[in-house]
Amino acid sequence: MPKLHFIIHKVIKFMKKNFIFLIITYLLFTINSSAFSQNSNENNLNNEKLLKIGVLLPLTGEFRSVGQSFLKAIQLALQDVSNDNIIIYPKDSKANPIDAYNSAKEFEKLGIQIVIGPVFYESLEKLNEISGITFISFTNKTKKIPKNAIAFGVNIESQINAIKKYFDKVNISKTILLSPKNEFGYQSESISKKDKLKFYRTYSYDENPKKITGDIEKITKYRERKKDLERRIKILEKSDLYKHKQELKKLEQMHTLGKVNFDSVVVIDFGERLKSVLTSFKFSDVPSDEVNFFTVNQWFDETFFAENAMQNLHFPSIDLENLEKFNEKYFRVYNEKPNKVSILAYDALGLIYYCWFNNNSEFKTNQLYNKDGFKGLHGEFVIVENFSEQKLQIYKVTEKKFEKVN
């Protein structure tokens, strides 16, 4: 598998001093004002082979902070690459398809073949009309992607692959799939239709947090198990046998009698509603030490640490150690925290540079589809058809930390 190795001596010396990344490939560059002075750069380097990269991000408007964070991540990668023959051309998508298309037309006039961005799926709408450019988008949706675009986000297919691999390892077999009604439906439908994971049952719950507990009680048959306990206690209270008295003492400390008929739960949800779902399972007397709980990529949400119900929650994600290193370096350079997903922008630049560098300073789109795949900061990946198939790890929430379990 090709790997993105650091090759510039002076930056290697700098990295050793600062314990920076030892994984990603060919990512050692310093961005300066000349990187944005397109005409002067091209005149000065007209005898060199240039790598011109378009950058299509929401640099103004509602999602300006997202776009700026992604752009800074790309600049950070350029700083690590340290090659004056690379020029980036940032343009504003304004997070809408019309402006994304207009900017892409400008890239076309500049002879640019490869573009990092756009961020959002909606911005891809008209880009299939520009056949001469390949767009590395950060969407995690993989359906109806234009032929000239690659979904580089952490997609549900990669997450299910990681969960399936873990299920096989720990012998989990009776799983239920949960998702909120009218939301993430496309993900749940996609998961349930795949042969990779066989679900025992599939349920949906109300989007209103106040109604979630009632839905979870039905799924877990909480009231039936509670009545079973009450009936058994009444029977034991009438007995004078020693063993019955001992059993009674034990049952009086319990909330329900009998176990649920599943061994694992996959919840397709995020944020406060996910917390409500898992808290409802706890209230319904389904302990996480008896049933394994899984969700999709949460980008290491540290607010989980404060929630007792979130303990032992499992989820697939990118390499945490490298993410932390990226965050530390980003903060050191810009004195602010990055958008966590912006690590993908760093890797996108590294991927393009790697392909260009290993093809005698000439970029060819087909290099992106190397069957051996690549290794970036976020982990190993291979581009298949129109999306990045990532090799994710399984983490679980435990004792106010994220622990890798496979």
Side-chain angles (χ1 to χ4, degrees), residues 232-257:
R232 183 59 181 167
I233 287 177
K234 287 181 180 180
I235 292 173
L236 295 176
E237 287 175 338
K238 297 176 183 179
S239 175
D240 291 328
L241 293 177
Y242 175 76
K243 66 176 183 179
H244 286 169
K245 290 182 179 181
Q246 292 301 110
E247 182 183 351
L248 180 61
K249 288 182 180 179
K250 182 180 179 180
L251 294 184
E252 287 175 340
Q253 305 301 314
M254 297 169 61
H255 301 287
T256 61
L257 183 62

Side-chain angles (χ1 to χ4, degrees), residues 108-315:
E108 192 175 41
K109 293 177 182 178
L110 291 169
I112 290 173
Q113 294 179 285
I114 186 72
V115 171
I116 299 176
V119 174
F120 304 112
Y121 177 81
E122 292 74 15
S123 298
L124 291 169
E125 183 179 322
K126 292 175 62 64
L127 297 186
N128 61 343
E129 298 177 21
I130 306 177
S131 58
I133 298 177
T134 298
F135 298 87
I136 300 181
S137 172
F138 301 105
T139 179
N140 60 4
K141 296 182 180 181
T142 57
K143 287 186 176 181
K144 298 181 180 179
I145 298 294
K147 292 182 179 180
N148 61 333
I150 295 169
F152 203 60
V154 180
N155 54 71
I156 195 66
E157 286 81 2
S158 297
Q159 296 177 60
I160 291 303
N161 287 341
I163 293 175
K164 174 62 167 61
K165 183 178 179 180
Y166 184 72
F167 277 15
D168 292 342
K169 178 181 177 181
V170 298
N171 196 29
I172 290 175
S173 60
K174 213 168 187 180
T175 307
I176 63 173
L177 175 66
L178 295 179
S179 64
K181 296 175 182 176
N182 302 321
E183 193 172 345
F184 308 124
Y186 74 96
Q187 290 190 344
S188 297
E189 182 180 354
S190 175
I191 293 170
S192 61
K193 284 184 177 180
K194 292 183 182 298
D195 294 330
K196 293 177 181 177
L197 279 178
K198 300 292 185 181
F199 291 99
Y200 172 63
R201 293 280 190 275
T202 299
Y203 299 99
S204 59
Y205 50 86
D206 200 290
E207 297 175 70
N208 185 342
K210 295 180 180 180
K211 297 181 179 180
I212 287 177
T213 299
D215 287 340
I216 302 304
E217 285 183 352
K218 293 177 184 177
I219 292 170
T220 61
K221 297 183 179 180
Y222 171 74
R223 296 186 185 279
E224 290 91 330
R225 290 184 295 124
K226 186 175 180 62
K227 288 180 180 179
D228 288 343
L229 176 65
E230 293 170 351
R231 282 193 291 266
R232 183 59 181 167
I233 287 177
K234 287 181 180 180
I235 292 173
L236 295 176
E237 287 175 338
K238 297 176 183 179
S239 175
D240 291 328
L241 293 177
Y242 175 76
K243 66 176 183 179
H244 286 169
K245 290 182 179 181
Q246 292 301 110
E247 182 183 351
L248 180 61
K249 288 182 180 179
K250 182 180 179 180
L251 294 184
E252 287 175 340
Q253 305 301 314
M254 297 169 61
H255 301 287
T256 61
L257 183 62
K259 296 184 178 181
V260 293
N261 59 354
F262 50 86
D263 60 13
S264 52
V265 179
V266 176
V267 186
I268 310 298
D269 214 338
F270 298 88
E272 294 304 314
R273 196 167 52 203
L274 173 62
K275 295 175 185 178
S276 295
V277 171
L278 296 178
T279 299
S280 296
F281 271 103
K282 190 174 183 63
F283 286 159
S284 298
D285 201 28
V286 181
S288 59
D289 57 350
E290 293 183 8
V291 174
N292 291 282
F293 288 91
F294 294 82
T295 187
V296 289
N297 181 30
Q298 300 293 312
W299 287 99
F300 304 104
D301 184 352
E302 293 185 359
T303 63
F304 289 173
F305 296 159
E307 304 287 338
N308 190 41
M310 310 300 281
Q311 292 300 303
N312 294 324
L313 173 66
H314 298 69
F315 59 92

